[in-house]
């Protein structure tokens, strides 16, 4: 079971964008006037795209410095995340329900770098059932689909189990989730309407995580 994070499990209500802008300015020396498209994108892609919008040529070394600042700022602003953001309805219950099922391992596939992903879920108490070492993160690869393959490879290596694409269920809020070729439960808690998620090829679509019946159906 692989979870997306932003707009699937949590909402930062603008704090994430503020942190991105602060880290961007620390690295480039340029205040962020606008941000590249974020939905379904990995953090390196968002950073490089935002740099281009400001006429800045960036490289991996620059992104790595950005990632360090972003990690530190997320930790320093944990209180703001907690006060202004929130776990999305049903998120905690869904994680706990899956944790109680046999043979289910939960991790994440997210455009966030791993350290930020861990902080975000810890802030909202959603980290208990997540096996972070099995996940795929923005600091692993620019391509979202590759993050799913990375997560599968890590799970195989750690458990010794044969994990096929059909054994994976990805839960996310953007059409990008379908690119990896695994079953997808799309959650319409982000910016993409349920009809668009279904049209993009989601295996099933729900309005939010309080409706777990389609999830149970996909697991049987």
């Amino acid at each position: 079971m692989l979870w997306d994070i932003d707009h699937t499990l949590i909402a930062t209500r603008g704090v994430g964008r503020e942190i991105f802008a602060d880290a961007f300015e620390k690295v480039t020396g340029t205040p962020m006037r606008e941000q590249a498209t974020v939905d379904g994108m990995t953090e390196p892609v968002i950073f490089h795209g935002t740099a281009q919008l400001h006429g800045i040529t960036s490289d991996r070394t620059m992104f790595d410095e950005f990632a360090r600042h972003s990690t530190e700022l997320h930790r320093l602003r944990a209180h703001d995340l907690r006060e202004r953001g929130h776990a999305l309805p049903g998120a905690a219950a869904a994680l706990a329900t899956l944790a109680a099922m046999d043979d289910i391992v939960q991790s994440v596939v997210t455009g966030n770098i791993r350290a930020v992903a861990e902080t975000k879920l810890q802030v909202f108490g959603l980290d208990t059932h997540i096996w972070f070492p099995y996940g795929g993160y923005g600091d692993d690869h620019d391509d979202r689909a590759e993050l799913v393959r990375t997560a599968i490879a890590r799970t195989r290596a750690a458990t010794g189990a044969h994990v096929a694409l059909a054994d994976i269920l990805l839960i996310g809020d953007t059409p990008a989730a379908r690119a990896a070729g695994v079953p997808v439960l799309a959650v319409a808690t982000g910016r993409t309407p349920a009809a668009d998620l279904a049209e993009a090829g989601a295996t099933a679509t729900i309005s939010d995580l309080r409706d777990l019946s389609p999830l149970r159906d996909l697991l049987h």
Side-chain angles (χ1 to χ4, degrees):
M1 183 71 58
L2 296 172
W3 290 92
D4 192 6
I5 293 179
D6 294 298
H7 306 296
T8 298
L9 290 172
I10 69 165
T12 66
R13 303 296 296 270
V15 179
R17 181 185 172 92
E18 291 171 8
I19 290 173
F20 186 102
D22 288 347
F24 181 85
E25 185 170 358
K26 285 179 182 295
V27 172
T28 65
T30 300
M32 189 181 84
R33 300 185 304 275
E34 57 182 323
Q35 188 179 32
T37 300
V38 300
D39 289 351
M41 300 298 173
T42 59
E43 201 81 345
V45 171
I46 300 168
F47 174 76
H48 295 314
T50 302
Q52 286 182 339
L53 290 174
H54 293 77
I56 299 168
T57 301
S58 59
D59 57 18
R60 185 68 192 194
T61 299
M62 187 178 288
F63 171 74
D64 288 344
E65 185 181 354
F66 167 86
R68 287 192 294 273
H69 285 298
S70 179
T71 297
E72 180 183 9
L73 288 166
H74 274 87
R75 290 171 179 161
L76 288 173
R77 297 194 60 183
H79 177 76
D80 291 336
L81 285 167
R82 191 176 296 111
E83 289 299 308
R84 289 170 51 187
H86 58 87
L88 289 173
L95 289 163
T97 297
L98 289 168
M101 295 182 178
D102 292 335
D103 301 323
I104 299 289
V105 175
Q106 299 183 79
S107 192
V108 293
V109 163
T110 173
N112 290 287
I113 60 176
R114 177 174 168 176
V116 169
E118 292 183 3
T119 296
K120 284 182 174 180
L121 293 185
Q122 287 165 0
V123 161
F124 298 108
L126 300 179
D127 58 314
T128 306
H129 304 300
I130 297 294
W131 292 73
F132 289 103
Y134 295 3
Y137 304 93
D139 36 351
D140 291 320
H141 203 283
D142 289 358
D143 183 356
R144 191 99 180 194
E146 286 297 326
L147 303 187
V148 176
R149 298 184 186 103
T150 296
I152 292 171
R154 285 175 172 160
T155 303
R156 286 173 177 163
T159 65
H162 173 71
V163 182
L165 293 181
D167 297 328
I168 303 296
L169 179 61
L170 184 59
I171 305 177
D173 65 285
T174 73
R178 194 66 186 93
V182 301
V184 173
L185 177 63
V187 188
T189 44
R191 297 182 180 89
T192 307
D196 292 351
L197 291 168
E199 186 177 347
T203 312
T205 305
I206 56 177
S207 57
D208 63 44
L209 291 172
R210 290 173 292 191
D211 179 13
L212 291 183
S213 54
L215 174 58
R216 294 190 181 95
D217 291 342
L218 288 171
L219 294 175
H220 289 91

